[in-house]
Amino acid sequence: MNEVIVGIDLGTTNSAIGVVESGFPMLLANEEGKRVMPSAVWFGDAGLEVGAKALRRRALDPGRVVTSVKRLIGRRWGEVEDFPVEMEKGKDGSIVILDRSPEEVSAEILGELKRVAEWRLEVPIRKAVITVPAYFNDAQRGATKRAGELAGLEVLRIVNEPTAAALAYGLDKLGDRSRVAVYDLGGGTFDLSILEMQDGVFQVLSTHGDTQLGGDDLDAALAAWCVEKAGLKALDFRVMEEAERVKRMLSDREHEVFRLPFFDGGKSVELKLSREDFEALAKPFIDRTLDCCRRALADAGLAKEDLDAVVLVGGSTRIPEVRRAVGAFFGREPDLSQHPDEAVALGATIQAGVLSGAMQKMVLLDVTPLSLGIETFGGLMNVLIPRNTTIPCKAGEMFTNAVAGQKSMRLRVLQGEREMARDNWQLGDFEVDFQPAAKGQARVGVQFRIDENGILEVLARDVETGRDTVVQIQSAAVDVDDEQVEKMVSESVEHAFEDMSERIFTEARLKAEELLPAVDAVLGAGGDLVSADEAEEIRRVAAEVREAMGHGEANRLKAAVQQLDRATEGVAARLVERAMEEAMARKLGE
């Protein structure tokens, strides 16, 4: 019998666990018969409770009930401003809630899911597949994996949530070849992924999303609106709970009353809301998701008409306005066949079943959402793995020393879409030692490898000695708010011309700084290497190079450097010829 491997959707609002039995994926219900469990943990003086029991504690002990912890996992202090429970700064700059890390809180949720599975299946559970938003970065993926390990699970795969939803949808819905867009709007995150499915191979063509956009934001907007309308002084968990309830009710009816009995000094609040009121509040958030849809289509090189289906998953897709807006954008009725809260867990379960051998083999090809590279001389971003590259993957390049006698180089590992290193995110940096050599003679090979979980490993090898430096970038401090991911892609388009202009100027300046001293040295030496006409032309072009550098004119400098290169070709050839003659003469004289 194959070892049981479970699939887990560790969600912002709800979580679920499943297993493949007799070839069929199924989600496991707890003692209350619920297949979906609230992602909530209550930490009391005498113990803790998870799920619905924890939520029931919120009325009396709100400060010790942690919800939406997924918004914190893999994040650093200062990246998250608002959270239902008070946050503290850890010694290493991490986030601490109730003396625990987000990974430790998440581990309690995973531990409860594991307990339910062991109770249902009556076997020990040791291995799992866990899903994450497609736009989770290395730090967040690594933190999710560590949370699983803290819960006593070996995490075999980290799978993107839209990909998991497509797996669930793709079992019996598709023909020989289909392209599907998965619109996944959950409690705390949004993803739009476009997948192509053919002969059992699921390939992600593109993905866009926002790890700080979901149902929680709609709750907060509705709560803030109600507080303002009712003239209340505070926005606490009771307001948020009621806002969430009203939001859910307005998915089924046209009007609902926002009620807070004896809320503010004995004052009760009753505020009638229409679905239209809520839709007006939700519109900016929905529009942000549609911007992601546009970019995903552009990245995939597809028109809306090229899609065979648009699948909606995630609890927030129950909102009628979301369904209407998505249908209008794609020009087709969205597919609602998947259970909004269960599709991702079902897909994780299918992938777990494939790994365990309990289901037929499917190949799952994911992509990396942002380009990865290193900083090179001059502050340039050198991309090794472009965005939307299918993973697992690896790519490498050879680099040389910029200064004679240099003994080491610092590798800055970057993630982003901008031309200059300073405009991208630093995932990590480390020093690589190598044998000192003349300028351009030391050779260091750098290889990036992204595994099936989306975790990056960087290898740097000194070619002379064969010595390797290997760093795994999975818990790096990314000092940029994750909601800026989408902004970064937008800015790469917005600043494309000036970025490319700066890159052209920088590359031309580096070349000029290499050429000009050599030209000055040759001209200053005199002799018969350079004719008078050549010298005059070289001086004229060199002056043009210097003037273009001084004015910071990219295209002019590039053209001038190319002209100087051509003007000195004859001199360079004669220099090489003379050096060879001198070397031959020395050899004959020995």
Side-chain angles (χ1 to χ4, degrees):
M1 179 182 173
N2 296 322
E3 183 176 5
V4 173
I5 302 175
V6 294
I8 296 175
D9 172 17
L10 181 61
T12 306
T13 307
N14 296 302
S15 296
I17 188 168
V19 69
V20 172
E21 280 207 340
S22 303
F24 293 97
M26 65 177 190
L27 301 190
L28 302 172
N30 61 15
E31 292 88 339
E32 298 174 4
K34 304 289 187 182
R35 293 193 299 270
V36 175
M37 179 188 80
S39 301
V41 187
W42 169 75
F43 295 99
D45 295 331
L48 59 87
E49 289 178 346
V50 181
K53 292 180 180 177
L55 283 185
R56 287 194 283 268
R57 294 273 190 177
R58 195 156 56 176
L60 296 175
D61 200 5
R64 304 200 67 80
V65 177
V66 181
T67 57
S68 300
V69 71
K70 185 172 177 177
R71 284 188 173 236
L72 304 183
I73 199 162
R75 313 288 298 282
R76 307 293 294 174
W77 178 259
E79 291 182 3
V80 180
E81 294 180 3
D82 297 316
F83 195 70
V85 177
E86 187 177 348
M87 298 179 290
E88 295 177 355
K89 184 177 181 180
K91 293 180 181 177
D92 57 352
S94 60
I95 296 172
V96 176
I97 36 175
L98 301 180
D99 298 323
R100 295 164 179 86
S101 68
E103 291 98 316
E104 289 172 319
V105 177
S106 300
E108 298 296 348
I109 297 168
L110 292 169
E112 175 63 12
L113 293 171
K114 177 175 180 282
R115 184 199 65 76
V116 168
E118 290 177 335
W119 169 69
R120 280 288 181 194
L121 302 174
E122 298 181 340
V123 294
I125 301 296
R126 300 186 182 90
K127 297 181 178 180
V129 169
I130 301 178
T131 61
V132 296
Y135 255 72
F136 256 26
N137 59 32
D138 272 343
Q140 291 166 305
R141 289 168 188 269
T144 301
K145 197 170 183 180
R146 285 195 302 279
E149 290 162 358
L150 288 172
L153 295 167
E154 180 187 350
V155 182
L156 301 179
R157 286 287 297 269
I158 297 286
V159 177
N160 285 349
E161 289 165 6
T163 308
L167 277 172
Y169 173 81
L171 273 180
D172 54 6
K173 296 284 180 184
L174 301 170
D176 293 336
R177 178 176 179 177
S178 296
R179 294 191 182 105
V180 173
V182 180
Y183 180 103
D184 183 359
L185 184 59
T189 59
F190 170 72
D191 284 299
L192 188 287
S193 290
I194 299 175
L195 301 96
E196 184 173 80
M197 311 184 193
Q198 183 177 11
D199 300 326
V201 176
F202 292 63
Q203 180 169 0
V204 182
L205 300 181
S206 67
T207 186
H208 262 280
D210 191 331
T211 58
Q212 293 296 296
L213 173 60
D216 288 355
D217 300 285
L218 299 179
D219 296 345
L222 183 55
W225 186 82
C226 291
V227 163
E228 183 182 351
K229 286 285 183 183
L232 303 178
K233 297 175 183 176
L235 193 159
D236 67 10
F237 83 95
R238 289 172 293 173
V239 179
M240 291 295 292
E241 272 192 337
E242 180 63 4
E244 183 184 1
R245 186 195 68 80
V246 169
K247 176 192 74 175
R248 290 174 183 268
M249 297 306 294
L250 287 173
S251 292
D252 298 318
R253 57 180 69 171
E254 292 295 328
H255 295 89
E256 181 58 24
V257 178
F258 181 93
R259 289 189 177 90
L260 288 174
F262 309 111
F263 176 73
D264 194 0
K267 174 186 173 184
S268 294
V269 174
E270 286 202 4
L271 188 63
K272 189 174 182 180
L273 284 94
S274 67
R275 182 184 286 179
E276 190 178 350
D277 293 330
F278 174 63
E279 288 173 352
L281 292 170
K283 188 178 186 303
F285 299 97
I286 298 171
D287 287 347
R288 280 167 60 187
T289 71
L290 298 181
D291 286 341
C292 294
C293 297
R294 289 187 188 90
R295 294 193 177 100
L297 281 167
D299 285 348
L302 297 175
K304 299 168 187 177
E305 298 76 28
D306 296 327
L307 299 174
D308 296 291
V310 178
V311 181
L312 298 193
V313 294
S316 297
T317 59
R318 288 187 175 90
I319 297 170
E321 180 60 15
V322 169
R323 296 179 175 184
R324 188 207 62 76
V326 173
F329 176 83
F330 285 101
R332 67 168 68 236
E333 283 297 311
D335 188 294
L336 309 175
S337 62
Q338 299 304 296
H339 191 295
D341 296 323
E342 297 182 1
V344 170
L346 197 63
T349 300
I350 292 167
Q351 182 61 23
V354 170
L355 294 178
S356 70
M359 291 195 75
Q360 65 177 356
K361 188 69 176 175
M362 293 180 189
V363 181
L364 177 59
L365 302 176
D366 231 322
V367 296
T368 178
L370 288 174
S371 299
L372 294 154
I374 66 170
E375 179 179 9
T376 55
F377 194 60
L380 298 170
M381 164 73 158
N382 190 88
V383 173
L384 270 69
I385 298 178
R387 70 186 301 263
N388 283 330
T389 296
T390 300
I391 61 174
C393 64
K394 62 181 177 181
E397 200 169 315
M398 196 68 70
F399 296 92
T400 63
N401 56 324
V403 180
Q406 188 177 336
K407 295 180 179 179
S408 67
M409 68 170 66
R410 178 162 291 278
L411 282 184
R412 288 186 66 219
V413 180
L414 305 172
Q415 184 176 34
E417 302 308 312
R418 304 291 296 276
E419 296 293 335
M420 305 305 293
R422 66 171 184 269
D423 296 320
N424 295 299
W425 302 355
Q426 178 173 308
L427 293 180
D429 68 329
F430 57 98
E431 201 81 19
V432 180
D433 297 322
F434 51 82
Q435 294 289 100
K439 179 182 177 182
Q441 296 302 305
R443 292 161 63 80
V444 175
V446 178
Q447 177 182 279
F448 280 16
R449 176 181 173 272
I450 305 179
D451 67 14
E452 62 274 11
N453 296 317
I455 292 173
L456 173 66
E457 181 182 82
V458 181
L459 178 147
R461 174 174 295 166
D462 177 8
V463 174
E464 180 70 23
T465 64
R467 186 169 59 234
D468 289 346
T469 303
V470 181
V471 176
Q472 192 176 74
I473 313 286
Q474 68 172 6
S475 58
V478 183
D479 298 320
V480 184
D481 199 339
D482 283 340
E483 66 187 9
Q484 298 301 310
V485 177
E486 191 59 29
K487 184 181 175 186
M488 177 178 287
V489 177
S490 302
E491 287 179 349
S492 73
V493 177
E494 184 182 338
H495 299 289
F497 290 110
E498 54 259 49
D499 279 5
M500 187 52 67
S501 178
E502 186 172 2
R503 185 179 192 97
I504 289 169
F505 180 81
T506 302
E507 289 174 342
R509 177 178 58 78
L510 292 172
K511 179 71 173 173
E513 289 172 350
E514 191 177 305
L515 271 176
L516 289 173
V519 166
D520 291 343
V522 170
L523 293 177
D528 59 351
L529 276 175
V530 188
S531 69
D533 288 345
E534 276 182 321
E536 185 180 346
E537 173 66 8
I538 290 170
R539 287 192 181 94
R540 183 188 70 78
V541 179
E544 168 69 5
V545 169
R546 289 188 169 95
E547 188 175 340
M549 279 179 67
H551 286 87
E553 298 175 46
N555 290 327
R556 181 185 173 191
L557 177 59
K558 182 181 179 181
V561 167
Q562 289 172 344
Q563 197 175 352
L564 184 59
D565 219 3
R566 287 193 295 270
T568 55
E569 277 177 356
V571 180
R574 289 193 288 274
L575 274 170
V576 171
E577 201 174 298
R578 177 171 291 185
M580 290 175 67
E581 288 173 357
E582 290 174 352
M584 184 64 72
R586 282 196 302 272
K587 189 171 183 181
L588 292 173
E590 288 176 355

